[in-house]
Amino acid sequence: MKVLEASFVQGFIRMCDDGFNQNWHERNGGNLSYRVREEEIESVKEELAWDNPWQPIGTSVPGLAGEYFLVTGSGKYFRNVILDPAANICIVEVDRAGENYRICWGLVNGGRPTSELPSHLMNHEVKKQASGGRHRVIYHAHPANIIALTFVLPLEDKVFTRELWEMATECPVVFPDGVGVVGWMVPGGRDIAAATSRLMKKYDVAIWAHHGCFCSGEDFDLTFGLMHTVEKSAEILVKVLSIRPDKLQTISPQNFRDLAVDFHVTLPEEFLS
């Protein structure tokens, strides 16, 4: 099978286009990665190359040794992925030590994987272990309302979780573990990758102050849906705060507990007290 005919590649391309159409990816903003299944790599192996040089990842991810990832390219625009996938995304292989990668397909006009590759791979390693291998997608976007809230809310997990939960009844069902928050850091390096991966041991959502949001999920639909839900909740909160700073009514802690029983989710009590 040709790479561009594979369903996992088609799903990746669609998610890039959906994210751009949500206005989450200005210029070359944001990045996406997918941990490819063995059978998926097997299905496209005739189009892969293994003669490109190894490059340092910039961190160590031994838990991902020998794995393959489909990722967006550094400096590439999400709006162009659907027009010319082979020029804007790539499949990379991680070496047996988990310290280097090489491009096996894509970026035909040159380039390298996303500059956030260390963050993506460190988070893939954490979520692979935490989810028993189920999580395969890491998505970083720049949703405007989430970013706006990082200027006016305390940069605390409990505050962001509770405020976002209260904005729509479905929110604690979609992200019952809550959300984590990373204070502002220089992007693209190991420090912000390490800070994010620490949060990802507990959450599926990590908000980067004044920058954007990271989400992890089992597949493209669930991960996009998670980002979409968090951003919609943030949009409602921005509107509420713009109307009046104090709410006349909201969802109470006991309401959340009742919801958790009916929808069979566990909500951490630390966010309800």
Side-chain angles (χ1 to χ4, degrees):
M1 181 184 297
K2 293 185 179 298
V3 169
L4 293 179
E5 295 174 352
S7 60
F8 74 94
V9 179
Q10 288 294 312
F12 188 97
I13 294 168
R14 179 193 173 189
M15 186 161 167
C16 288
D17 196 50
D18 285 345
F20 171 72
N21 288 324
Q22 288 294 326
N23 201 29
W24 297 343
H25 299 283
E26 74 293 336
R27 201 171 179 271
N28 63 316
N31 23 77
L32 175 65
S33 64
Y34 170 69
R35 183 166 60 88
V36 188
R37 300 175 185 275
E38 289 184 18
E39 62 269 25
E40 291 170 332
I41 283 295
E42 186 67 22
S43 72
V44 299
K45 67 179 183 180
E46 292 182 2
E47 283 206 322
L48 304 185
W50 287 274
D51 55 355
N52 287 320
W54 293 102
Q55 304 288 338
I57 294 170
T59 189
S60 180
V61 285
L64 301 177
E67 297 236 35
Y68 291 83
F69 294 84
L70 179 59
V71 301
T72 48
S74 178
K76 303 300 183 181
Y77 291 29
F78 265 54
R79 69 187 297 264
N80 292 333
V81 171
I82 197 169
L83 300 176
D84 191 354
N88 292 283
I89 64 178
C90 63
I91 295 175
V92 301
E93 177 190 11
V94 175
D95 71 3
R96 295 297 171 179
E99 295 183 351
N100 301 283
Y101 74 89
R102 63 182 172 189
I103 297 173
C104 298
W105 175 89
L107 295 178
V108 294
N109 297 325
R112 58 188 179 86
T114 170
S115 60
E116 298 289 357
L117 188 64
S119 289
H120 278 257
L121 293 184
M122 288 181 72
N123 283 289
H124 272 292
E125 185 179 44
V126 165
K127 299 309 288 188
K128 177 184 176 182
Q129 181 178 13
S131 70
R134 295 189 307 277
H135 278 220
R136 290 186 171 272
V137 181
I138 297 289
Y139 183 32
H140 171 50
H142 298 166
N145 292 286
I146 292 173
I147 296 170
L149 291 178
T150 67
F151 290 90
V152 297
L153 294 182
L155 300 178
E156 300 172 8
D157 301 358
K158 180 176 180 178
V159 173
F160 266 80
T161 295
R162 182 63 176 272
E163 291 286 352
L164 292 172
W165 276 359
E166 288 184 17
M167 291 304 103
T169 299
E170 70 168 354
C171 288
V173 178
V174 175
F175 49 100
D177 294 329
V179 303
V181 184
V182 179
W184 188 88
M185 300 177 72
V186 175
R190 192 184 187 285
D191 290 345
I192 195 168
T196 307
S197 62
R198 284 193 295 270
L199 289 177
M200 283 294 191
K201 292 177 182 178
K202 184 177 181 180
Y203 308 112
D204 292 338
V205 181
I207 294 171
W208 284 4
H210 323 318
H211 183 155
C213 188
F214 254 80
C215 287
S216 173
E218 297 182 25
D219 57 32
F220 298 123
D221 283 346
L222 287 171
T223 311
F224 185 86
L226 177 58
M227 183 76 76
H228 205 180
T229 303
V230 174
E231 169 61 2
K232 185 173 185 179
S233 179
E235 180 183 1
I236 297 169
L237 181 55
V238 167
K239 291 177 177 179
V240 169
L241 292 174
S242 70
I243 296 170
R244 58 181 297 161
D246 57 322
K247 307 169 193 139
L248 289 182
Q249 54 273 323
T250 188
I251 304 172
S252 72
Q254 189 55 49
N255 292 154
F256 284 127
R257 295 184 185 103
D258 295 341
L259 185 73
V261 171
D262 281 7
F263 281 84
H264 309 291
V265 296
T266 300
L267 301 181
E269 192 64 30
E270 65 182 292
F271 297 141
L272 301 179
S273 59

